[in-house]
């Protein structure tokens, strides 16, 4: 978050754009970090890793941890993108007050978020359906308890009585919650016209401009931010870590990159240089729960 150099440091936000050898080296290091984390906190549990930036590493994560399960949250990019940019600008301005809120840095970061949407949009067509679940942000806001319960059913997890009570309490509190986080596209030099030019097909295919939510649509029609829970032996993703709460899991654990490479944004149907079999044909979703980088 300290460095307002999105283009020169593109692979920091998009590890899937690294050459295969560099990507494997990075993930080997990341695996060792996860192993130490699991060891320090005790085995026999499922590691939940939550980070918007995992969106740019989702292919590498799936490759390194084939038993990982992926949860995404879809939020309209008109809201998600300025929310995310709004987290970074104040940090940049702390050391560089001359950076404008609607400057080139904000626009570059917004372009990264747009690429994440495309990246996950293609990834969801490749991932094993049993290991993937999407939550519509509107459902999460309207009824967190029901939404989380549906997620648990998908993965075959049993909600404990104590956690059910927590969900019920949170759902009641959510009904009166009002966020104090304020932001708009315009303050960062962005516009709804630009969003639709970049992500129009994604918005339309997921019904994000309408009132319909994921509870009324097939699960295959969803996109969102990446939350990546892996099995307790193999866990994955970049960002914060937490143990999934109130979960009783069955005995049997359920069980190449694209984006932007050397200043060239990849599109659907293109493969990353050095990826002869086209494994790089994938694309992403970014969604924000107000100012939080993850649920």
């Amino acid at each position: 978050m300290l460095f307002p150099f999105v283009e020169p440091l593109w692979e920091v936000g998009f590890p899937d754009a690294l050459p295969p050898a560099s990507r494997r080296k990075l993930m080997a290091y990341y695996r060792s970090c996860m192993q130490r984390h699991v060891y320090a906190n005790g085995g026999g549990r499922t590691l939940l890793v939550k980070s918007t930036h995992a969106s740019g590493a989702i292919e590498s994560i799936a490759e390194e941890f084939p038993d990982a399960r992926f949860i995404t949250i879809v939020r309209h990019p008109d809201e998600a993108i300025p929310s995310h940019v709004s987290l970074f600008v104040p940090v940049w301005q702390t050391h560089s007050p001359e950076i404008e809120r609607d400057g080139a840095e904000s626009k570059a970061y917004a372009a990264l978020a747009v690429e994440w949407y495309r990246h996950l949009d293609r990834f969801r067509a490749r991932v094993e359906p049993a290991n993937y679940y999407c939550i519509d942000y509107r459902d999460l806001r309207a009824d967190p308890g029901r939404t989380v319960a549906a997620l648990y059913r998908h993965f075959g997890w049993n909600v404990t009585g104590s956690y059910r009570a927590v969900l019920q309490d949170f759902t009641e509190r959510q009904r009166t919650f009002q966020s104090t986080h304020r932001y708009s596209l315009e303050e960062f030099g962005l516009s709804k016209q630009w969003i639709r030019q970049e992500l129009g097909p994604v918005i339309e295919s997921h019904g994000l401009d309408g009132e319909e939510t994921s509870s009324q649509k097939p699960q295959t029609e969803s996109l969102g931010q990446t939350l990546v829970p892996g099995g307790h032996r193999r866990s994955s993703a970049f960002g914060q870590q937490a143990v999934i709460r109130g979960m009783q899991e069955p005995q049997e654990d359920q069980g190449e990159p694209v984006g932007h490479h050397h200043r060239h944004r990849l599109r659907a149907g293109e493969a990353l240089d050095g990826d002869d079999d086209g494994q790089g044909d994938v694309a992403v979703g970014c969604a924000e729960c107000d100012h939080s980088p993850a649920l």
Side-chain angles (χ1 to χ4, degrees):
M1 293 184 71
L2 284 174
F3 303 101
F5 311 114
V6 178
E7 283 286 326
L9 298 177
W10 185 271
E11 289 80 3
V12 173
F14 225 119
D16 282 349
L18 289 166
S22 298
R23 202 172 67 250
R24 287 191 292 269
K25 184 177 180 180
L26 173 64
M27 294 310 296
Y29 168 73
Y30 184 66
R31 169 182 284 278
S32 72
C33 293
M34 294 298 96
Q35 288 172 326
R36 288 192 290 273
H37 185 81
V38 171
Y39 178 80
N41 287 277
R45 296 195 277 178
T46 295
L47 182 67
L48 172 64
V49 182
K50 320 179 293 183
S51 175
T52 300
H53 282 80
S55 300
I58 198 163
E59 279 286 297
S60 301
I61 291 167
E63 203 173 88
E64 182 68 21
F65 305 96
D67 63 341
R69 284 155 295 185
F70 299 85
I71 305 168
T72 65
I73 302 175
V74 58
R75 188 183 183 189
H76 200 298
D78 284 358
E79 301 170 343
I81 290 178
S83 174
H84 201 52
V85 175
S86 71
L87 297 177
F88 283 74
V89 172
V91 179
W92 298 337
Q93 290 178 331
T94 298
H95 58 68
S96 303
E98 69 277 8
I99 291 180
E100 301 288 344
R101 293 182 71 82
D102 61 353
E105 296 84 0
S106 294
K107 295 181 178 69
Y109 196 87
L112 174 62
V114 162
E115 208 65 30
W116 284 342
Y117 266 99
R118 298 193 185 106
H119 192 52
L120 189 59
D121 191 33
R122 291 194 289 267
F123 173 80
R124 67 191 175 93
R126 301 159 60 101
V127 67
E128 184 68 33
N131 292 337
Y132 177 86
Y133 189 84
C134 181
I135 292 174
D136 189 306
Y137 180 77
R138 295 167 292 184
D139 289 343
L140 189 62
R141 290 286 304 272
D143 196 333
R146 181 179 178 182
T147 303
V148 172
L151 162 69
Y152 274 46
R153 285 195 299 272
H154 176 79
F155 289 118
W157 300 332
N158 298 316
V159 180
T160 63
S162 59
Y163 188 47
R164 194 178 302 278
V166 170
L167 288 174
Q168 183 175 353
D169 177 67
F170 187 82
T171 299
E172 291 298 323
R173 289 188 285 117
Q174 174 63 25
R175 289 172 181 157
T176 59
F177 173 76
Q178 293 292 329
S179 173
T180 58
H181 188 204
R182 298 288 181 263
Y183 46 82
S184 68
L185 286 166
E186 291 72 23
E187 70 180 288
F188 301 115
L190 309 172
S191 69
K192 291 184 177 181
Q193 180 181 3
W194 177 75
I195 293 287
R196 276 151 189 77
Q197 178 182 328
E198 297 293 321
L199 294 172
V202 173
I203 294 171
E204 183 178 349
S205 67
H206 302 300
L208 297 180
D209 276 336
E211 297 299 321
E212 188 178 16
T213 64
S214 64
S215 61
Q216 301 165 304
K217 298 184 293 184
Q219 262 300 313
T220 52
E221 295 188 4
S222 296
L223 168 70
Q225 176 187 356
T226 322
L227 303 175
V228 187
H232 26 261
R233 290 178 302 280
R234 299 163 71 93
S235 308
S236 57
F238 290 81
Q240 302 166 333
Q241 291 84 28
V243 174
I244 298 179
R245 297 181 56 198
M247 183 184 73
Q248 293 177 333
E249 194 164 6
Q251 290 294 320
E252 290 299 321
D253 202 277
Q254 302 282 340
E256 284 233 12
V258 284
H260 186 289
H261 188 52
H262 302 299
R263 309 311 130 227
H264 168 60
R265 288 187 177 83
L266 301 180
R267 301 299 185 213
E270 292 184 285
L272 184 66
D273 293 345
D275 197 353
D276 296 334
D277 61 1
Q279 290 299 308
D281 183 17
V282 288
V284 151
C286 158
E288 295 286 316
C289 278
D290 295 307
H291 62 282
S292 301
L295 172 63

